[in-house]
Amino acid sequence: MSVPDSRQDLQRNSLYSLAAVGAVLLGALLTLGAYGHFSAVWAQLISEDTALPRRLLLMLPGVTLAGAAVLNILLSKPLWQARGYALTTTLVGNLVATAYLVYLLVRGVPGHPIGIFLALEMSLVILLVSIRAGLVWPALADANIKKP
């Protein structure tokens, strides 16, 4: 019988660190997207002719982008520390933002970079789902496997 290496037990899943860095980068880009959206619709939002339901619908994409950005940035440190609640919360928040962006893409909003934000969201969602499914990087070597 071989004694497992103590360093192997201490090795952590580096995908959490990758997800935390990705969440910060995505949060920054989503913040810029929300700023761009609000600056584009600001004139209609403050117009007296725009009804309240229309104003709320105009604000929804920017609020969705800003909410996902804040969530990603706030939970990046606990995600770096491999906290389970941070993984779950970040995954759920980004799934909601992804679903809304898919809706906007299917609905068809001409001249808007929805596809770019959807691709960025999907890349983080795929990484978070992979971590939730048990993917570990770097792969842990099994101490019981003997080399020939």
mmCIF file of all heavy atoms in Angstrom, residues 45-68:
data_model
loop_
_atom_site.group_PDB
_atom_site.id
_atom_site.type_symbol
_atom_site.label_atom_id
_atom_site.label_comp_id
_atom_site.label_asym_id
_atom_site.label_seq_id
_atom_site.Cartn_x
_atom_site.Cartn_y
_atom_site.Cartn_z
ATOM 1 N N LEU A 45 -36.384 57.902 -21.817
ATOM 2 C CA LEU A 45 -36.751 57.674 -20.416
ATOM 3 C C LEU A 45 -37.195 58.951 -19.723
ATOM 4 O O LEU A 45 -38.100 58.929 -18.887
ATOM 5 C CB LEU A 45 -35.583 57.054 -19.649
ATOM 6 C CG LEU A 45 -35.267 55.591 -19.932
ATOM 7 C CD1 LEU A 45 -34.011 55.168 -19.193
ATOM 8 C CD2 LEU A 45 -36.430 54.703 -19.546
ATOM 9 N N ILE A 46 -36.563 60.060 -20.041
ATOM 10 C CA ILE A 46 -36.909 61.310 -19.365
ATOM 11 C C ILE A 46 -37.975 62.106 -20.112
ATOM 12 O O ILE A 46 -38.428 63.131 -19.622
ATOM 13 C CB ILE A 46 -35.657 62.179 -19.132
ATOM 14 C CG1 ILE A 46 -35.005 62.586 -20.447
ATOM 15 C CG2 ILE A 46 -34.675 61.480 -18.216
ATOM 16 C CD1 ILE A 46 -33.891 63.611 -20.275
ATOM 17 N N SER A 47 -38.392 61.596 -21.254
ATOM 18 C CA SER A 47 -39.416 62.292 -22.034
ATOM 19 C C SER A 47 -40.772 62.221 -21.326
ATOM 20 O O SER A 47 -41.144 61.196 -20.757
ATOM 21 C CB SER A 47 -39.523 61.655 -23.421
ATOM 22 O OG SER A 47 -40.627 62.181 -24.112
ATOM 23 N N GLU A 48 -41.500 63.299 -21.382
ATOM 24 C CA GLU A 48 -42.831 63.348 -20.761
ATOM 25 C C GLU A 48 -43.851 62.553 -21.566
ATOM 26 O O GLU A 48 -44.883 62.163 -21.047
ATOM 27 C CB GLU A 48 -43.291 64.809 -20.648
ATOM 28 C CG GLU A 48 -42.343 65.683 -19.874
ATOM 29 C CD GLU A 48 -42.857 65.965 -18.482
ATOM 30 O OE1 GLU A 48 -44.045 65.786 -18.235
ATOM 31 O OE2 GLU A 48 -42.025 66.372 -17.651
ATOM 32 N N ASP A 49 -43.559 62.310 -22.841
ATOM 33 C CA ASP A 49 -44.494 61.600 -23.712
ATOM 34 C C ASP A 49 -44.466 60.088 -23.515
ATOM 35 O O ASP A 49 -45.382 59.395 -23.953
ATOM 36 C CB ASP A 49 -44.185 61.917 -25.183
ATOM 37 C CG ASP A 49 -44.335 63.400 -25.484
ATOM 38 O OD1 ASP A 49 -45.101 64.071 -24.759
ATOM 39 O OD2 ASP A 49 -43.684 63.876 -26.430
ATOM 40 N N THR A 50 -43.435 59.563 -22.886
ATOM 41 C CA THR A 50 -43.285 58.124 -22.715
ATOM 42 C C THR A 50 -44.075 57.663 -21.496
ATOM 43 O O THR A 50 -43.895 58.169 -20.389
ATOM 44 C CB THR A 50 -41.802 57.746 -22.555
ATOM 45 O OG1 THR A 50 -41.061 58.311 -23.638
ATOM 46 C CG2 THR A 50 -41.618 56.249 -22.562
ATOM 47 N N ALA A 51 -44.923 56.672 -21.698
ATOM 48 C CA ALA A 51 -45.735 56.134 -20.602
ATOM 49 C C ALA A 51 -44.861 55.291 -19.668
ATOM 50 O O ALA A 51 -43.797 54.797 -20.050
ATOM 51 C CB ALA A 51 -46.869 55.289 -21.168
ATOM 52 N N LEU A 52 -45.321 55.094 -18.446
ATOM 53 C CA LEU A 52 -44.562 54.360 -17.442
ATOM 54 C C LEU A 52 -44.264 52.918 -17.868
ATOM 55 O O LEU A 52 -43.119 52.467 -17.715
ATOM 56 C CB LEU A 52 -45.291 54.383 -16.094
ATOM 57 C CG LEU A 52 -44.581 53.649 -14.960
ATOM 58 C CD1 LEU A 52 -43.239 54.306 -14.664
ATOM 59 C CD2 LEU A 52 -45.453 53.628 -13.728
ATOM 60 N N PRO A 53 -45.236 52.159 -18.408
ATOM 61 C CA PRO A 53 -44.888 50.792 -18.829
ATOM 62 C C PRO A 53 -43.800 50.776 -19.908
ATOM 63 O O PRO A 53 -42.931 49.903 -19.902
ATOM 64 C CB PRO A 53 -46.201 50.225 -19.368
ATOM 65 C CG PRO A 53 -47.266 51.024 -18.714
ATOM 66 C CD PRO A 53 -46.681 52.390 -18.514
ATOM 67 N N ARG A 54 -43.837 51.728 -20.808
ATOM 68 C CA ARG A 54 -42.817 51.818 -21.857
ATOM 69 C C ARG A 54 -41.454 52.147 -21.247
ATOM 70 O O ARG A 54 -40.435 51.609 -21.663
ATOM 71 C CB ARG A 54 -43.231 52.874 -22.891
ATOM 72 C CG ARG A 54 -42.220 53.130 -23.958
ATOM 73 C CD ARG A 54 -42.168 52.006 -24.947
ATOM 74 N NE ARG A 54 -41.192 52.340 -25.978
ATOM 75 C CZ ARG A 54 -40.480 51.459 -26.609
ATOM 76 N NH1 ARG A 54 -40.647 50.182 -26.360
ATOM 77 N NH2 ARG A 54 -39.620 51.825 -27.516
ATOM 78 N N ARG A 55 -41.426 53.017 -20.253
ATOM 79 C CA ARG A 55 -40.176 53.347 -19.578
ATOM 80 C C ARG A 55 -39.576 52.123 -18.898
ATOM 81 O O ARG A 55 -38.372 51.902 -18.935
ATOM 82 C CB ARG A 55 -40.396 54.449 -18.550
ATOM 83 C CG ARG A 55 -40.624 55.799 -19.141
ATOM 84 C CD ARG A 55 -40.801 56.831 -18.071
ATOM 85 N NE ARG A 55 -41.195 58.091 -18.680
ATOM 86 C CZ ARG A 55 -41.549 59.150 -18.010
ATOM 87 N NH1 ARG A 55 -41.572 59.119 -16.696
ATOM 88 N NH2 ARG A 55 -41.889 60.250 -18.634
ATOM 89 N N LEU A 56 -40.437 51.359 -18.239
ATOM 90 C CA LEU A 56 -39.953 50.150 -17.564
ATOM 91 C C LEU A 56 -39.398 49.143 -18.571
ATOM 92 O O LEU A 56 -38.375 48.507 -18.309
ATOM 93 C CB LEU A 56 -41.072 49.526 -16.735
ATOM 94 C CG LEU A 56 -41.541 50.349 -15.533
ATOM 95 C CD1 LEU A 56 -42.724 49.684 -14.857
ATOM 96 C CD2 LEU A 56 -40.399 50.566 -14.555
ATOM 97 N N LEU A 57 -40.064 48.994 -19.700
ATOM 98 C CA LEU A 57 -39.567 48.084 -20.729
ATOM 99 C C LEU A 57 -38.254 48.580 -21.335
ATOM 100 O O LEU A 57 -37.395 47.776 -21.699
ATOM 101 C CB LEU A 57 -40.613 47.891 -21.831
ATOM 102 C CG LEU A 57 -41.807 47.028 -21.451
ATOM 103 C CD1 LEU A 57 -42.825 46.993 -22.585
ATOM 104 C CD2 LEU A 57 -41.355 45.620 -21.102
ATOM 105 N N LEU A 58 -38.101 49.877 -21.435
ATOM 106 C CA LEU A 58 -36.843 50.429 -21.933
ATOM 107 C C LEU A 58 -35.699 50.221 -20.943
ATOM 108 O O LEU A 58 -34.545 50.055 -21.332
ATOM 109 C CB LEU A 58 -36.993 51.923 -22.232
ATOM 110 C CG LEU A 58 -37.721 52.304 -23.508
ATOM 111 C CD1 LEU A 58 -37.943 53.808 -23.558
ATOM 112 C CD2 LEU A 58 -36.947 51.834 -24.725
ATOM 113 N N MET A 59 -36.005 50.224 -19.665
ATOM 114 C CA MET A 59 -34.981 50.050 -18.642
ATOM 115 C C MET A 59 -34.599 48.589 -18.421
ATOM 116 O O MET A 59 -33.503 48.305 -17.935
ATOM 117 C CB MET A 59 -35.456 50.647 -17.310
ATOM 118 C CG MET A 59 -35.487 52.140 -17.317
ATOM 119 S SD MET A 59 -36.061 52.950 -15.799
ATOM 120 C CE MET A 59 -36.081 51.744 -14.545
ATOM 121 N N LEU A 60 -35.454 47.653 -18.771
ATOM 122 C CA LEU A 60 -35.242 46.239 -18.459
ATOM 123 C C LEU A 60 -33.925 45.669 -18.981
ATOM 124 O O LEU A 60 -33.208 45.008 -18.213
ATOM 125 C CB LEU A 60 -36.433 45.408 -18.939
ATOM 126 C CG LEU A 60 -36.443 43.946 -18.523
ATOM 127 C CD1 LEU A 60 -36.418 43.822 -17.003
ATOM 128 C CD2 LEU A 60 -37.660 43.247 -19.089
ATOM 129 N N PRO A 61 -33.535 45.880 -20.238
ATOM 130 C CA PRO A 61 -32.241 45.322 -20.672
ATOM 131 C C PRO A 61 -31.058 45.882 -19.892
ATOM 132 O O PRO A 61 -30.151 45.133 -19.508
ATOM 133 C CB PRO A 61 -32.153 45.716 -22.154
ATOM 134 C CG PRO A 61 -33.552 45.942 -22.574
ATOM 135 C CD PRO A 61 -34.260 46.475 -21.373
ATOM 136 N N GLY A 62 -31.053 47.176 -19.626
ATOM 137 C CA GLY A 62 -29.959 47.771 -18.871
ATOM 138 C C GLY A 62 -29.912 47.281 -17.438
ATOM 139 O O GLY A 62 -28.836 47.032 -16.886
ATOM 140 N N VAL A 63 -31.081 47.133 -16.826
ATOM 141 C CA VAL A 63 -31.143 46.629 -15.452
ATOM 142 C C VAL A 63 -30.673 45.176 -15.396
ATOM 143 O O VAL A 63 -29.972 44.770 -14.467
ATOM 144 C CB VAL A 63 -32.568 46.790 -14.886
ATOM 145 C CG1 VAL A 63 -32.733 46.054 -13.573
ATOM 146 C CG2 VAL A 63 -32.902 48.264 -14.714
ATOM 147 N N THR A 64 -31.032 44.395 -16.403
ATOM 148 C CA THR A 64 -30.592 43.001 -16.453
ATOM 149 C C THR A 64 -29.075 42.917 -16.574
ATOM 150 O O THR A 64 -28.432 42.142 -15.860
ATOM 151 C CB THR A 64 -31.254 42.269 -17.638
ATOM 152 O OG1 THR A 64 -32.665 42.363 -17.500
ATOM 153 C CG2 THR A 64 -30.848 40.811 -17.676
ATOM 154 N N LEU A 65 -28.500 43.713 -17.464
ATOM 155 C CA LEU A 65 -27.045 43.719 -17.622
ATOM 156 C C LEU A 65 -26.353 44.218 -16.360
ATOM 157 O O LEU A 65 -25.374 43.625 -15.906
ATOM 158 C CB LEU A 65 -26.651 44.592 -18.816
ATOM 159 C CG LEU A 65 -27.045 44.098 -20.200
ATOM 160 C CD1 LEU A 65 -26.687 45.133 -21.254
ATOM 161 C CD2 LEU A 65 -26.415 42.771 -20.516
ATOM 162 N N ALA A 66 -26.869 45.292 -15.774
ATOM 163 C CA ALA A 66 -26.255 45.846 -14.570
ATOM 164 C C ALA A 66 -26.389 44.890 -13.381
ATOM 165 O O ALA A 66 -25.452 44.741 -12.594
ATOM 166 C CB ALA A 66 -26.886 47.193 -14.236
ATOM 167 N N GLY A 67 -27.541 44.236 -13.260
ATOM 168 C CA GLY A 67 -27.731 43.284 -12.161
ATOM 169 C C GLY A 67 -26.784 42.104 -12.257
ATOM 170 O O GLY A 67 -26.186 41.687 -11.248
ATOM 171 N N ALA A 68 -26.632 41.568 -13.456
ATOM 172 C CA ALA A 68 -25.691 40.456 -13.644
ATOM 173 C C ALA A 68 -24.256 40.913 -13.394
ATOM 174 O O ALA A 68 -23.449 40.168 -12.826
ATOM 175 C CB ALA A 68 -25.831 39.884 -15.048
#
